Amino acid sequence: MEEAVADCVAALRAVADRDWEGRSAGRLEWTCRETAVHIAEDLIAYAGRLAGRHTDRYAPFEIALDPGTDNEGALQAIATTGALLAAVVRTTPRAVRAYHPYPFRHANREGFAAMGVAEVLLHTHDISEGLGVAYEPPAELASFALTRIFPHVRPGPTPWQTLLWATGRGELPGREPVTGWRWSNNPVLETERLTLEGVTPAAATDLAVGGDGGFEWVASGPFEGTREGAGITWKQYEEGVFRPEWTMYVLVRREDDRALGAMGFHGAPDDTGRVEIGYDLAEDARGQGYATEALRALTAWALEQDGVRKVAAVVERGNVPSQKVVARAGFTQVAEDDAHLTYELRELPG
């Protein structure tokens, strides 16, 4: 966050002596001056929602610059509100989520940081374009936003080109122009003891290469199946078929915010309305009913979605504990071969 704001302020300070009131900001209807104020408004709004733990509405305040504030003063407002958001992000516990309207009506600290970075980069671009000067931020900042709140966007030639295209501000070879867009924070489901947190492409790639994905794990996790699933998720992102809600979810125990394993879908439902689910628990978390609890919740959610007719699970023939999990969750065996048993649930048990 600090790097994005510093880059914005440095770029715009070089043109602070120009007329921001009389020039439109790129393709926006706002003037360059209004767009600069908007950056500060967004940063303080995100900080307020996250710090105040607002869960169902916007924070009930707004900011305004003092009459007579010049362009340098507007940049000071951006720097100050950016510092406030950065401080809130650093000090907010990982599990806290606050209100954001779409698509799942909440975001965590990383989501708010990514939204803040995106607002800063994109509107700095708009102002620069309106004033006729070039602007390109560090690639890692654009990548930070893309891999956290644009999971549905297939990577392009460079992160910055991709971010501009994804927000209707540029073109990419072989892709149709974007005329409407929204970013997407990760989905979250809750059970009695667990929070199921949808992984972002950033978390998936970190888990796939041996990292923790931004989670605190029990001693024996993450297990091998979780890392394999994360690799599949990252590949889906690279191919442009990642769908935030039909992804891998990390199972987090709420009492201590420890990750226990992962559960998720192999992809979006197919043409017949079938979706396949898989799961993996760290050894420390087995035998306590967590997998059954999570499977019931995720299956119930899936069957409530339009077009979903059945949820399938394919279990190794020798994996008796996993077979018991799907049975307890209401699945019925429908097929088998030499190595696997296939189970399905078509409707929730009464």
Side-chain angles (χ1 to χ4, degrees), residues 146-154 184 200-201 237 242-244:
L146 285 168
T147 57
R148 287 158 178 84
I149 57 173
F150 291 90
H152 50 291
V153 174
R154 177 167 54 91
S184 177
T200 63
Y237 171 67
F242 183 101
R243 297 295 177 267

Side-chain angles (χ1 to χ4, degrees), residues 129-296:
E129 186 175 56
L131 296 174
V133 296
Y135 172 71
E136 181 170 346
E140 61 269 19
L141 291 176
S143 180
F144 178 84
L146 285 168
T147 57
R148 287 158 178 84
I149 57 173
F150 291 90
H152 50 291
V153 174
R154 177 167 54 91
T158 71
W160 181 231
Q161 285 179 285
T162 305
L163 184 59
L164 290 177
W165 171 81
T167 57
R169 291 171 167 86
E171 299 179 356
L172 282 184
R175 301 196 198 183
E176 292 295 321
V178 172
T179 57
W181 61 275
R182 283 183 173 177
W183 51 53
S184 177
N185 282 286
N186 60 324
V188 171
L189 299 173
E190 291 193 347
T191 70
E192 180 181 355
R193 298 177 293 170
L194 303 172
T195 300
L196 282 61
E197 300 188 21
V199 300
T200 63
T205 188
D206 188 55
L207 282 167
V209 299
D212 58 19
F215 298 90
E216 293 285 340
W217 290 82
V218 293
S220 58
F223 211 62
E224 181 179 351
T226 295
R227 297 202 185 280
E228 291 178 354
I232 294 171
T233 299
W234 175 254
K235 185 177 180 181
Q236 291 174 340
Y237 171 67
E238 287 190 312
E239 294 175 349
V241 296
F242 183 101
R243 297 295 177 267
E245 63 272 36
W246 300 106
T247 185
M248 185 176 85
Y249 293 74
V250 170
L251 314 184
V252 180
R253 187 167 55 200
R254 279 202 300 279
E255 68 178 22
D256 59 2
D257 198 39
R258 293 283 176 173
L260 310 176
M263 180 176 292
F265 304 101
H266 293 188
D270 64 20
D271 293 339
T272 70
R274 179 183 186 273
V275 64
E276 185 174 337
I277 200 169
Y279 48 89
D280 174 68
L281 279 186
E283 291 182 352
D284 293 353
R286 295 173 185 173
Q288 301 174 60
Y290 292 124
T292 302
E293 183 177 327
L295 184 58
R296 285 172 175 161

Side-chain angles (χ1 to χ4, degrees), residues 3-343:
E3 184 180 357
V5 170
D7 192 66
C8 161
V9 171
L12 297 183
R13 181 164 284 146
V15 289
D17 60 341
R18 301 192 186 183
D19 177 16
W20 290 13
E21 291 279 8
R23 301 292 294 272
S24 295
R27 307 181 188 190
L28 304 181
E29 295 181 356
W30 298 328
T31 67
C32 292
R33 171 68 172 211
E34 290 170 334
T35 304
V37 174
H38 174 76
I39 295 174
E41 289 173 335
D42 275 342
L43 296 177
I44 194 62
Y46 293 162
R49 267 181 266 165
L50 194 55
R53 309 295 196 263
H54 296 270
T55 59
D56 60 354
R57 67 191 66 186
Y58 291 110
F61 64 84
E62 58 185 21
I63 66 167
L65 300 188
D66 290 337
T69 300
D70 59 10
N71 293 339
E72 179 61 34
L75 293 178
Q76 291 176 0
I78 292 172
T80 301
T81 53
L84 290 172
L85 177 56
V88 172
V89 168
R90 281 196 303 270
T91 56
T92 298
R94 194 206 66 82
V96 169
R97 306 185 77 82
Y99 177 75
H100 189 71
Y102 51 78
F104 306 114
R105 301 186 67 79
H106 51 67
N108 62 8
R109 64 187 184 186
E110 190 173 49
F112 277 105
M115 291 188 290
V117 167
E119 292 282 0
V120 169
L121 301 188
L122 292 169
H123 289 318
T124 302
H125 162 81
D126 296 332
I127 296 169
S128 297
E129 186 175 56
L131 296 174
V133 296
Y135 172 71
E136 181 170 346
E140 61 269 19
L141 291 176
S143 180
F144 178 84
L146 285 168
T147 57
R148 287 158 178 84
I149 57 173
F150 291 90
H152 50 291
V153 174
R154 177 167 54 91
T158 71
W160 181 231
Q161 285 179 285
T162 305
L163 184 59
L164 290 177
W165 171 81
T167 57
R169 291 171 167 86
E171 299 179 356
L172 282 184
R175 301 196 198 183
E176 292 295 321
V178 172
T179 57
W181 61 275
R182 283 183 173 177
W183 51 53
S184 177
N185 282 286
N186 60 324
V188 171
L189 299 173
E190 291 193 347
T191 70
E192 180 181 355
R193 298 177 293 170
L194 303 172
T195 300
L196 282 61
E197 300 188 21
V199 300
T200 63
T205 188
D206 188 55
L207 282 167
V209 299
D212 58 19
F215 298 90
E216 293 285 340
W217 290 82
V218 293
S220 58
F223 211 62
E224 181 179 351
T226 295
R227 297 202 185 280
E228 291 178 354
I232 294 171
T233 299
W234 175 254
K235 185 177 180 181
Q236 291 174 340
Y237 171 67
E238 287 190 312
E239 294 175 349
V241 296
F242 183 101
R243 297 295 177 267
E245 63 272 36
W246 300 106
T247 185
M248 185 176 85
Y249 293 74
V250 170
L251 314 184
V252 180
R253 187 167 55 200
R254 279 202 300 279
E255 68 178 22
D256 59 2
D257 198 39
R258 293 283 176 173
L260 310 176
M263 180 176 292
F265 304 101
H266 293 188
D270 64 20
D271 293 339
T272 70
R274 179 183 186 273
V275 64
E276 185 174 337
I277 200 169
Y279 48 89
D280 174 68
L281 279 186
E283 291 182 352
D284 293 353
R286 295 173 185 173
Q288 301 174 60
Y290 292 124
T292 302
E293 183 177 327
L295 184 58
R296 285 172 175 161
L298 200 53
T299 300
W301 175 85
L303 290 172
E304 292 173 352
Q305 307 311 304
D306 291 341
V308 177
R309 297 181 176 86
K310 55 189 173 182
V311 180
V314 179
V315 182
E316 292 180 354
R317 182 175 287 277
N319 191 345
V320 175
S322 188
Q323 294 167 24
K324 291 181 178 179
V325 167
V326 293
R328 286 195 295 267
F331 284 67
T332 301
Q333 184 183 333
V334 296
E336 62 181 293
D337 58 28
D338 291 342
H340 299 93
L341 306 177
T342 300
Y343 296 80

